[in-house]
Amino acid sequence: MRGMKLSMAERTQCTGEYIAVKALENGVTVTGVTRGAENKFLHTEKLDEGEVWVAQFTENISAMKIRGRAEIITAHGVVESGK
């Protein structure tokens, strides 16, 4: 990419917002949900305690569902899911 100029749309697509999910117990699931007329589950990842999943929102992923006790770190702050 060196020397290439990207349009604003290309930069936005490449630099979508990231989140990090740190499992605080075994069996935490992170599911990506598609955007569009019908929301569909696109990908599910299962985490064990201490594992960290870094994910990016893209033109295809508009939401993430996190089940279990986890710490979710975003540019907007940190929240804890679960109990």
Side-chain angles (χ1 to χ4, degrees):
M1 290 227 171
R2 194 173 185 191
M4 292 178 58
K5 290 188 178 185
L6 299 175
S7 70
M8 181 59 85
E10 290 169 319
R11 277 187 295 218
T12 301
Q13 182 179 358
C14 294
T15 60
E17 189 167 336
Y18 287 85
I19 67 165
V21 179
K22 180 179 180 182
L24 300 176
E25 66 182 5
N26 289 335
V28 170
T29 58
V30 180
T31 304
V33 181
T34 63
R35 66 175 78 236
E38 287 186 33
N39 291 343
K40 298 178 185 174
F41 294 115
L42 185 63
H43 177 86
T44 298
E45 189 67 30
K46 196 163 263 237
L47 305 176
D48 286 329
E49 185 176 355
E51 290 185 320
V52 175
W53 175 260
V54 178
Q56 180 183 30
F57 290 96
T58 66
E59 64 184 41
N60 296 322
I61 299 293
S62 64
M64 291 182 200
K65 178 179 178 179
I66 298 160
R67 180 171 288 175
R69 195 162 165 260
E71 185 176 65
I72 301 106
I73 302 119
T74 74
H76 307 284
V78 178
V79 294
E80 191 173 312
S81 66
K83 299 176 185 173

